Amino acid sequence: MKTLNSIKTIQRQSLREQIYQQLKVAIIRLELEPGEKVNDQELAKQFNVSRTPVREALRRLEDEELVFTNPGAYTRVAKIDLEEVKQATTVVASLHALAAKLALPNLAQSDLEKLETINLKLKNELETKNVINAIEADDEFHKVFLDLSQNIQIQKALDPVESKIRRLEFAKFNSVEGINSVSDHQLIIEACRDSKIDTVTSLVEKNWMSLFDLLTQ
């Protein structure tokens, strides 16, 4: 099995969680490709751990439909299903809109400045076509609202479904023209400055839904 860049030697605490997180990143970033077989024994060697925490992490990834297992035979990375991504996008868009609605009363001037800085970073990364940094900057932008919403249940609900969108984004990033959220984000920032809650929530939801349209056009 090939060596994965996302895998690092694991510290002894929280083995299952660390392995789960690293494998999830490898799947989202397509280092582990859709349909590719994964072997718990070989992964255990790369992580320098026993097979037990690897199997536990794989079971969690199976619950999130990122891998699937044929009992007694093999485990494979799940293929990208556009209908699943579409359904996931609807959920993600609604949850991010809710987070923005809850966050707006807590938004300070420093937060607006932070959003501006992140959006500029996103613009620069998109111009240089740095897919990882661009997607991380987009996540960082929306995380401002998630944190200010002060509702941890939203993030918990987002984690399992957002991965489906990100995998498609990594797969299509370089072939899609206009996969640029910068202008959408700027409209969101301006609506935040004016404390227009309905406008903010609508723009955030539209921002996510338009991403799916761009990725599948």
Side-chain angles (χ1 to χ4, degrees), residues 129 131 168-179 213-217:
K129 294 190 179 298
V131 56
L168 182 61
E169 197 169 2
F170 270 95
K172 295 285 188 177
F173 187 92
N174 290 324
S175 64
V176 174
E177 292 296 330
I179 191 171
D213 292 337
L214 286 168
L215 293 174
T216 56
Q217 64 187 358

Side-chain angles (χ1 to χ4, degrees), residues 88-104 138-147 149 154-155 157-159 161-163 165-166 185 188 197 200-209 211:
T89 304
T90 301
V91 173
V92 168
S94 296
L95 287 172
H96 275 290
L98 175 59
K101 180 178 181 179
L102 296 175
L104 194 53
D138 187 59
D139 284 340
E140 190 178 352
F141 182 90
H142 291 287
K143 190 176 184 298
V144 172
F145 296 103
L146 288 171
D147 289 343
S149 75
I154 294 177
Q155 184 64 64
L158 278 170
D159 284 341
V161 289
E162 210 165 71
S163 303
I165 303 170
R166 289 312 189 199
H185 288 180
I188 292 169
I197 292 182
V200 171
T201 55
S202 176
L203 287 171
V204 169
E205 186 168 13
K206 180 183 176 183
N207 177 231
W208 280 97
M209 293 306 300
L211 174 61

Side-chain angles (χ1 to χ4, degrees), residues 51-66:
R51 294 168 72 179
T52 298
V54 173
R55 288 173 173 172
E56 291 173 341
L58 288 173
R59 279 197 293 270
R60 186 172 171 187
L61 290 166
E62 187 171 15
D63 289 341
E64 296 183 11
E65 299 179 333
L66 291 176

Side-chain angles (χ1 to χ4, degrees), residues 4-11 18-19 22 25 29 46-49:
L4 303 176
N5 294 330
S6 296
I7 290 182
K8 303 175 179 62
T9 301
I10 292 295
Q11 302 298 317
Q18 292 181 67
I19 293 168
Q22 291 190 30
V25 169
R29 294 182 180 179
Q46 289 196 50
F47 282 117
N48 192 28
V49 298

Side-chain angles (χ1 to χ4, degrees), residues 75-101:
T75 298
R76 288 185 185 273
V77 177
K79 293 183 178 180
I80 297 174
D81 185 308
L82 291 183
E83 182 58 31
E84 286 185 359
V85 177
K86 182 178 181 180
Q87 293 176 13
T89 304
T90 301
V91 173
V92 168
S94 296
L95 287 172
H96 275 290
L98 175 59
K101 180 178 181 179

